[in-house]
Amino acid sequence: MLGLSIALAVSFIILLYIINELSYNYCHKNRNQIFRVLNNYSEFKTTQPGTPYILASTLKEEFPQVEKAVNAQNLRSLRLKSGDEFINVFGAVATGSEIFDMFTIPLIGSLDAKKLLDNRNSIVLSKEIAEKFFPGEDPTGKGIVGLVNNEEQMFTVTGVFEDIPVNSTFRAKCFVNSEWTIGPINDAFNIDNAETSWEHDFWTTWVFLSDKVRQEEIDSQFRNLETKYPSKGIKRTYSLQKLSDVYLKSENLQNAGLRGDMKNIRLFSAIAFLILLVASINYIMLSTAVSSGRSKEIGIRKTNGAGNNNIKNQLLSESVILALLVLPIALILTWVGLPFAGKLFQTRLNIIDSNLFLYILVYLALTILIGLTSGIYTSGWLSRLKVIDVLKSTSKSGNRKQNFRSFLIVIQLVIFCTFVSATLIIRSQYNFALTQNPGHHNSNIVLIDLGRNFKNYSAYINSIQNYPNVINAAGAMHSLPMLGGMSTMHPHFTNPEQQVKLEGMAIDFDFLKVMGIQVVEGRDFSRDFNSDLTQSVILNETAVRELGIVDPVGKKLWGSTIIGVVKDFNLHSIHTGIPPLQISMTDRYIQQVAVHYQPGTLGSVLPLLETEWKEVAPDRPFSYTTIEDLIEGLYSTEKNLSTIVSIFALFTLLIAAFGLFGLTLFVARSRTKEIGIKKVFGSSEKSIIYSFLKEDFIMVVVASILAIPITYYFMDKWLSNFSYKVDIKFWFFVVAFFIAMLVVLLTVLFHSFRASRTNPVETLRYE
């Protein structure tokens, strides 16, 4: 029962995760009519949900099937004033009033439900935020001071809405007018027309289609729109994505925002199935082991007129009742394990009220299914027993039972060995990712987040470079390893018809030196050359090779002069290869400062960095991360997967060991007379123990061999997600074999040792 309780608890936790993931978007009553516009860059072979600001209004005007359309953008810079302090509001969305007509966002109170965000200084708060800034009050119609784009503004609360459920793709803590997103884009790109430009794709466009309009109709109309409003330079094509597909079918989109992972759902579903399979196998093994004790009962019942179906139904009912008795224990274990499982799954495993009925239905159905599955073999076998066989105590069925139990044990061991080998492979790949030389410093670097439009970064860098433990410091738009990306296309130097995709990296002086990136040809950016800021570029070796450039230094690339070539380094993670890279200078878009410090001095350097920060940016929070933490975060999925598979391997082993322990006890008892006879004829205790262990040893060997091709197939597919990966070594399977053998033999040894020491006189009196 304990094994079944553990298996059900693990399955319940996984099912909670799966139900929550699959229930995204179901809180939106009009979900079948809501779509997100996708933007495909055919030249770059990438797709993202970023679209121009003007697209929403254009769709409403020119597409009759579009009833509503609105753009939205997360506003990261909003801070609201509470007392004398400005507090960051995470989850602020800048959008239009129609957002409340499209999505299910129940209003608690409002001034005008149709014009909630029409005014530039309107703000709509969630119940949670309203309680935080207006405790015990109705904030509707009241003013609140906010800091947006580093400017103080007076907002008017025009409404309060119920907190949006956690299983909603569209989430927000508060809403403001979308005009607040235009100014930062104008400033960043030195333009004055972000709201009418078709070149700047920084907004998500949501559309609400008329009922029964087919998505394909809109997609075909997009071609006319793209011709009518062509964008300069990069060709864009638009398409629609169903709201129901946004969360779980956006794995191939860049900058997709909140999204799930169907791979994880399939993986965890498979793991849950395997653990339940092991638990069911245990039940079947133990049932067949003790079935000999019930054969006389079955014979007597059949003698008194019981039919096969009656006996079968009774045994099946007993199996289901046993599973239902285990259900409360499994639910308690589930409740205890939820916080730990949430950390492993990298998400909060919330019990969502709207899903309660689904939880109960699925958990109850699964428990009954396990009871039926576990009892179906034993009930079928026992119900078919003939009275004459019971009276004669024939041994044929016993031999068949033994072979069947051996087959079930091998299946359990195959599952366990596969889990162990997979864990070792995943762990090896994770360690490889952390220790591989990326071509730049991967330790003793602290990265300080500046945010947007930080004007004093040069003064900050100059001030911190005076500290003795700071080796060097420099700025970059995005430091290494880069989490995002920006790309452009350039013609091949010898074949202009061939386009080469170049990734971009914008840095300041000395950044290559700070990160330890080696210049192999030409020179680094230098303050001695005024043209470096606007007219110079550095390529990596891959870019030189892909572009077909001979003697690159001095050649032109988009009007800029190639002044140097750097040795290839990993721009992102080892999931991807090294792309062709162009490195350019910037002094406007610096958002991070990389500080290279003396090893072992981070504890003393950080307080000094924060002190200088407060001098140059007293209104901004001091935020930093170390490059070690950043790199570890890149591979957190692999780390958690290794831990998850390890834990499930342990559960599998525990469940299998419980079953094997009980099975060995029954087998030892059934062989009591055989052991006594062997001892009378001179068999030693060692030979008796050996007779027990030999069969189990063979089963471990068979299971380990069968697990090798299974593990190799699935792990080879998993490793194909990495451009740089470890080899699948034979010792991974050897370790799994020895662990399985050790546990199995120790489990069997306990009962076999006790059986071998039994007095022959007592054994011959048995039965």
Side-chain angles (χ1 to χ4, degrees), residues 379-439:
S379 62
W381 179 78
L382 284 174
S383 64
R384 290 195 302 270
L385 282 178
K386 297 179 181 179
V387 177
I388 191 67
D389 290 335
V390 173
L391 296 176
K392 289 182 177 179
S393 299
T394 56
S395 60
K396 289 182 180 179
S397 59
N399 292 332
R400 287 200 299 269
K401 282 196 299 180
Q402 178 61 30
N403 293 334
F404 183 66
R405 287 199 298 266
S406 298
F407 170 72
L408 295 179
I409 292 172
V410 168
I411 292 177
Q412 286 184 317
L413 293 175
V414 167
I415 294 171
F416 170 71
C417 290
T418 301
F419 274 159
V420 172
S421 303
T423 300
L424 294 173
I425 294 169
I426 295 168
R427 195 72 190 179
S428 180
Q429 178 65 18
Y430 172 68
N431 291 331
F432 172 76
L434 293 184
T435 57
Q436 190 214 23
N437 180 11

Side-chain angles (χ1 to χ4, degrees), residues 43-64:
E43 293 178 353
F44 297 102
K45 297 180 181 179
T46 59
T47 304
Q48 65 163 13
T51 55
Y53 183 92
I54 195 174
L55 180 62
S57 59
T58 304
L59 291 177
K60 281 194 294 184
E61 293 171 3
E62 303 189 14
F63 285 44

Side-chain angles (χ1 to χ4, degrees), residues 227-502:
T227 303
K228 186 175 180 180
Y229 303 105
S231 57
K232 298 177 182 177
I234 302 173
K235 183 180 179 181
R236 297 165 171 83
T237 56
Y238 301 112
S239 60
L240 294 181
Q241 182 185 37
K242 295 179 183 177
L243 176 63
S244 56
D245 292 342
V246 167
Y247 185 70
L248 286 175
K249 296 184 180 179
S250 296
E251 64 274 10
N252 296 322
L253 301 183
Q254 289 189 348
N255 306 316
L258 180 69
R259 64 183 175 188
D261 192 338
M262 278 302 297
K263 291 181 181 177
N264 281 345
I265 291 177
R266 296 189 189 101
L267 172 66
F268 296 145
S269 299
I271 289 174
F273 171 76
L274 291 175
I275 289 179
L276 287 173
L277 178 63
V278 171
S280 298
I281 287 173
N282 265 0
Y283 184 91
I284 294 170
M285 286 193 309
L286 294 175
S287 297
T288 55
V290 300
S291 61
S292 57
R294 302 197 65 179
S295 58
K296 289 183 179 179
E297 172 198 339
I298 303 300
I300 293 171
R301 290 192 61 197
K302 283 198 169 188
T303 302
N304 290 316
N308 288 355
N309 288 335
N310 292 333
I311 294 172
K312 185 176 182 179
N313 291 337
Q314 178 202 340
L315 295 173
L316 271 177
S317 300
E318 290 175 1
S319 179
V320 172
I321 291 170
L322 177 62
L324 290 173
L325 290 174
V326 168
L327 180 59
I329 302 172
L331 290 174
I332 293 171
L333 293 176
T334 301
W335 183 261
V336 172
L338 277 180
F340 306 100
K343 292 179 181 179
L344 287 177
F345 292 165
Q346 294 181 297
T347 185
R348 289 186 63 185
L349 292 176
N350 299 298
I351 297 176
I352 302 170
D353 292 341
S354 59
N355 289 339
L356 275 176
F357 177 75
L358 194 57
Y359 299 145
I360 295 170
L361 182 65
V362 172
Y363 289 178
L364 194 60
L366 177 65
T367 305
I368 294 173
L369 179 64
I370 292 301
L372 290 172
T373 305
S374 301
I376 197 165
Y377 172 79
T378 308
S379 62
W381 179 78
L382 284 174
S383 64
R384 290 195 302 270
L385 282 178
K386 297 179 181 179
V387 177
I388 191 67
D389 290 335
V390 173
L391 296 176
K392 289 182 177 179
S393 299
T394 56
S395 60
K396 289 182 180 179
S397 59
N399 292 332
R400 287 200 299 269
K401 282 196 299 180
Q402 178 61 30
N403 293 334
F404 183 66
R405 287 199 298 266
S406 298
F407 170 72
L408 295 179
I409 292 172
V410 168
I411 292 177
Q412 286 184 317
L413 293 175
V414 167
I415 294 171
F416 170 71
C417 290
T418 301
F419 274 159
V420 172
S421 303
T423 300
L424 294 173
I425 294 169
I426 295 168
R427 195 72 190 179
S428 180
Q429 178 65 18
Y430 172 68
N431 291 331
F432 172 76
L434 293 184
T435 57
Q436 190 214 23
N437 180 11
H440 59 75
H441 292 319
N442 58 1
S443 62
N444 304 317
I445 299 283
V446 62
L447 306 170
I448 301 168
D449 295 320
L450 303 179
R452 293 181 178 179
N453 303 319
F454 191 91
K455 306 298 183 183
N456 300 322
Y457 79 89
S458 295
Y460 180 65
I461 290 174
N462 292 334
S463 65
I464 63 179
Q465 283 184 327
N466 296 323
Y467 294 123
N469 289 325
V470 173
I471 300 173
N472 210 341
M477 184 175 180
H478 300 292
S479 192
L480 296 173
M482 282 178 60
L483 303 180
M486 46 186 180
S487 304
T488 186
M489 304 296 290
H490 193 280
H492 192 276
F493 269 60
T494 59
N495 183 12
E497 294 182 359
Q498 178 185 342
Q499 294 288 318
V500 178
K501 179 180 177 182
L502 296 176

Side-chain angles (χ1 to χ4, degrees), residues 636-685:
S636 60
T637 301
E638 287 74 29
K639 180 182 180 182
N640 284 328
L641 181 60
S642 171
T643 306
I644 288 170
V645 177
S646 300
I647 291 173
F648 288 148
L650 177 62
F651 284 146
T652 304
L653 182 62
L654 283 175
I655 296 167
F658 290 148
L660 194 59
F661 189 84
L663 178 63
T664 308
L665 173 63
F666 284 113
V667 171
R669 286 179 178 176
S670 67
R671 295 176 63 183
T672 301
K673 188 176 292 185
E674 173 195 339
I675 293 169
I677 294 172
K678 284 185 176 181
K679 295 194 76 171
V680 169
F681 282 92
S683 293
S684 64
E685 292 181 3

